[in-house]
Amino acid sequence: MERTGWLLTPAQRGNPASRVDRRHADGAAWSTGNDVRPLVHGAVYFAELLAAVRAQRAGDMLMFTDWRGDPDELLDGPKRAIGDVLCDAARRGVVVKGLVWRSHLDRFQFSEQENYHLGEEIEEAGGECLLDMRVRPGGSHHQKFVVLRHPGRPERDVAFVGGIDLCHSRRDDATHQGDPLAQRIADAYGSRPPWHDVQLAVHGPAVGDVEATFRERWTDPAPLSRSPRSRLRAALRGEDTRADPLPAQQPDPGPRGSHTVQILRTYPNRLLRGYPFAPDGERSIARAYIKSLRRARRLIYLEDQYLWSESAVQPFAQALGDHPDLRMIAVLPPLPDQEGRISTPMNLLGRIRALEVLRRAGGDRVAVYSLENHAGTPVYVHAKVCVIDDVWASVGSDNVNRRSWTHDSELSCAVLDETRDSREPMDPGGLGDGARVFARELRLSLNLEHLDRDGDGEAAALCDPGRAFATYAESAAALDAWHDGGRHGPRPPGRLRTYHPPHLSRMTRVLTDPLYRVVADPDGRPRSLRRQGAY
């Protein structure tokens, strides 16, 4: 398989200022020889993170970025709160460095206070955690990764990358009973919102690329905030606002697997003074989707928190229009996490328009579902996963919308496996690439959970894209009919519900559109790219 058919070249990334690609001696925009494992659900990720951090010793490094961090969030049971675990590491002599977002709007229940308290605890223990507001107005730092390095023991090096924050509501498991330490969202999700999410554990040379992303942000000389109010508050609190120097970066871990990994990012075109590592921003996540979707022939499998924006779904629509055998499955939250007279339509408008674009292009070849647990409570889908023809897979912090593709900081991993999958169909796309073990296993693991199935036989049947598409439809139809019939008799297996977009009146759409474009799904591209409709 020619990697350049699926992955971006350095020129296609469009950001020569970044050192991520320049680190590779072979001139490639990716690293080979990695071992990548999907960690489905926060409870699985948190348990593995806890074990890895507790195994660190003096002189090791722990670097993390987050959108929100709650110091009392439990990684794995009582007395294992994230704040305590990070502080214990710092006291043991581990070099702990963190960057968490300083929210503009904490009065609207975003994350400034939680992040401040997490940073305060880490600083008191001897680590360093900065509140970073170097974003566009209305933007956020949305990257969610942890890098653990071990000088002299590179076999232990790991990067955790994906969509799972170190905060309340994330420690759910396959039963989807929710995290006991819950962050309140829309009432329909209950007092313990069931939460579906995915993180990757990356071993191998790609760990160095993730670390390079952290170092670029850490060494940015710009002030942590341009806001006079935020800077005054930081001064009154005695906050740490200057990043101390980092130890020199260790050589990358050696090869240990069959996975090629490309690190993809979003950074906005920041007004007045850009990032030194992305002066005009970076939109490699958007560009990677656009490139990989051109090779889609049989099945696009997507799990996403939003699926907004007509411009973001246009590459999907183009692929559906160009290839009549191509199908698309999307698994989304049934309702926005925020509810209110203004926020609800603002959060719905972008999705309604996106689905209209997709269905005009693909008709009944586009299937959209939500999830519920076995008690019938809706599951909030926070995962950001895409698998194309069981070849290319992406997991990260980014959603399919204009905000994630242009405006907030994001980080994602695209994975190509050197190992072919031997199950039929062996080349579902028909382009000679062949189904790959990582991408297919990731999709099948999610399919089997949502269908309440297991076993090799069930998995083998779902390898066929058409069969998987039909099985999802049959399972959702059975569960829908059971609910519509008054929930009599045994509940059918499965967790899939057919998603029906709500109706918004023409007047509501007109009144909501400015708020949607400016607040919910803003555009962080340079003006020249906006005019071209390009990324």
Side-chain angles (χ1 to χ4, degrees):
M1 178 175 55
E2 181 59 47
R3 297 187 186 95
T4 53
W6 288 95
L7 302 177
L8 299 176
T9 65
Q12 289 168 340
R13 184 187 292 275
N15 181 20
S18 174
R19 50 187 293 261
V20 168
D21 291 343
R22 290 188 279 111
R23 300 176 67 255
H24 302 140
D26 59 1
W30 53 77
S31 64
T32 59
N34 298 286
D35 177 61
V36 183
R37 289 180 298 107
L39 307 176
V40 182
H41 310 303
V44 175
Y45 165 43
F46 284 178
E48 186 154 329
L49 176 63
L50 174 65
V53 174
R54 284 188 163 176
Q56 288 196 291
R57 61 195 190 194
D60 293 342
M61 286 196 69
L62 187 161
M63 295 157 278
F64 72 96
T65 67
D66 214 346
W67 177 80
R68 173 177 173 138
D70 287 310
D72 62 337
E73 174 64 9
L74 299 178
L75 291 181
D76 189 20
K79 299 182 180 180
R80 294 174 177 179
I82 181 62
D84 293 337
V85 171
L86 295 178
C87 290
D88 287 346
R91 294 187 190 102
R92 293 196 306 273
V94 176
V95 180
V96 177
K97 304 290 184 180
L99 289 167
V100 291
W101 174 51
R102 163 168 257 143
S103 169
H104 302 270
L105 300 170
D106 202 53
R107 63 184 180 275
F108 294 149
Q109 298 181 346
F110 281 81
S111 45
E112 181 178 338
Q113 288 300 316
E114 292 78 9
N115 290 347
Y116 168 67
H117 291 309
L118 177 62
E120 190 177 38
E121 289 189 9
I122 292 171
E123 296 268 350
E124 289 176 356
E128 190 174 16
C129 185
L130 307 180
L131 290 174
D132 190 354
M133 199 179 173
R134 293 171 292 197
V135 295
R136 278 179 71 101
S140 77
H141 281 302
H142 200 243
Q143 297 172 340
K144 312 161 197 296
F145 65 81
V146 180
V147 179
L148 306 181
R149 299 299 305 268
H150 308 78
R153 299 180 297 158
E155 70 281 358
R156 290 182 171 270
D157 291 349
V158 60
F160 297 101
V161 176
I164 304 181
D165 299 282
L166 303 174
C167 73
H168 294 166
S169 285
R170 277 34 173 195
R171 192 169 66 94
D172 201 355
D173 58 25
T175 65
H176 288 312
Q177 298 302 307
D179 186 340
L181 287 173
Q183 176 187 346
R184 188 80 185 187
I185 58 175
D187 288 344
Y189 294 99
S191 59
R192 281 176 55 170
W195 200 275
H196 175 66
D197 224 330
V198 181
Q199 197 86 349
L200 298 178
V202 181
H203 295 266
V207 171
D209 291 340
V210 182
E211 181 181 350
T213 293
F214 179 87
R215 286 174 176 269
E216 286 181 334
R217 282 185 54 190
W218 185 265
T219 57
D220 183 349
L224 292 174
S225 175
R226 292 174 177 169
S227 163
R229 179 180 175 185
S230 293
R231 294 171 78 167
L232 176 60
R233 184 167 40 188
L236 292 174
R237 286 174 169 175
E239 290 180 29
D240 183 0
T241 59
R242 293 186 180 276
D244 291 343
L246 294 171
Q249 183 164 350
Q250 294 290 308
D252 291 349
R256 57 180 297 168
S258 63
H259 301 145
T260 296
V261 175
Q262 181 162 62
I263 301 302
L264 304 168
R265 294 107 56 94
T266 298
Y267 289 111
N269 176 43
R270 195 166 177 235
L271 304 177
L272 300 180
R273 180 181 179 183
Y275 300 105
F277 50 85
D280 297 316
E282 181 176 324
R283 292 157 296 280
S284 56
I285 290 173
R287 294 179 176 204
Y289 268 100
I290 292 167
K291 182 171 185 174
S292 59
L293 285 166
R294 292 184 184 130
R295 297 185 70 83
R297 296 296 186 272
R298 293 293 306 282
L299 180 64
I300 302 165
Y301 183 81
L302 181 73
E303 295 191 356
D304 199 81
Q305 183 183 2
Y306 293 124
L307 191 59
W308 288 350
S309 174
E310 296 152 286
S311 62
V313 301
Q314 190 54 48
F316 295 84
Q318 183 72 46
L320 289 161
D322 289 346
H323 305 291
D325 292 331
L326 179 62
R327 296 175 172 88
M328 178 175 177
I329 295 173
V331 179
L332 312 172
L335 299 163
D337 58 336
Q338 301 174 49
E339 57 186 352
R341 189 174 62 178
I342 295 174
S343 60
T344 296
M346 183 175 67
N347 280 274
L348 290 173
L349 181 59
R351 179 182 292 178
I352 291 169
R353 287 175 170 170
L355 293 181
E356 289 171 348
V357 170
L358 292 171
R359 288 191 162 129
R360 280 198 299 269
D364 60 6
R365 291 181 289 121
V366 177
V368 185
Y369 302 99
S370 61
L371 300 174
E372 68 174 32
N373 65 16
H374 291 160
T377 306
V379 174
Y380 191 72
V381 177
H382 193 258
K384 300 95 165 56
V385 176
C386 186
V387 179
I388 298 177
D389 285 345
D390 290 350
V391 179
W392 182 91
S394 173
V395 177
S397 67
D398 57 293
N399 297 292
V400 177
N401 60 10
R402 189 169 52 211
R403 175 183 279 277
S404 276
W405 283 14
T406 71
H407 196 271
D408 292 353
S409 75
E410 307 282 5
L411 186 133
S412 178
C413 289
V415 182
L416 289 179
D417 197 338
E418 297 297 312
T419 307
R420 288 177 177 261
D421 190 272
S422 60
R423 293 168 290 188
E424 295 289 346
M426 294 180 65
D427 187 24
L431 298 178
D433 298 320
R436 301 290 161 156
V437 170
F438 178 86
R440 179 167 276 177
E441 285 293 338
L442 173 60
R443 176 177 69 83
L444 291 177
S445 68
L446 296 168
N447 291 173
L448 291 170
E449 179 184 309
H450 301 334
L451 293 166
D452 279 337
R453 301 186 182 188
D454 57 28
D456 293 343
E458 296 280 12
L462 294 169
C463 287
D464 180 76
R467 184 66 246 160
F469 189 89
T471 303
Y472 261 46
E474 293 161 4
S475 180
L479 192 52
D480 291 344
W482 181 75
H483 279 284
D484 293 343
R487 300 167 60 135
H488 298 300
R491 182 186 182 278
R495 310 167 188 202
L496 295 162
R497 300 295 306 276
T498 305
Y499 178 79
H500 299 286
H503 173 74
L504 291 182
S505 69
R506 178 179 174 80
M507 179 61 69
T508 300
R509 290 189 181 212
V510 170
L511 294 176
T512 301
D513 184 71
L515 277 175
Y516 162 72
R517 293 183 179 277
V518 174
V519 178
D521 203 20
D523 196 329
R525 290 175 288 183
R527 196 173 299 276
S528 60
L529 290 181
R530 294 191 206 185
R531 287 195 296 263
Q532 299 170 34
Y535 289 92

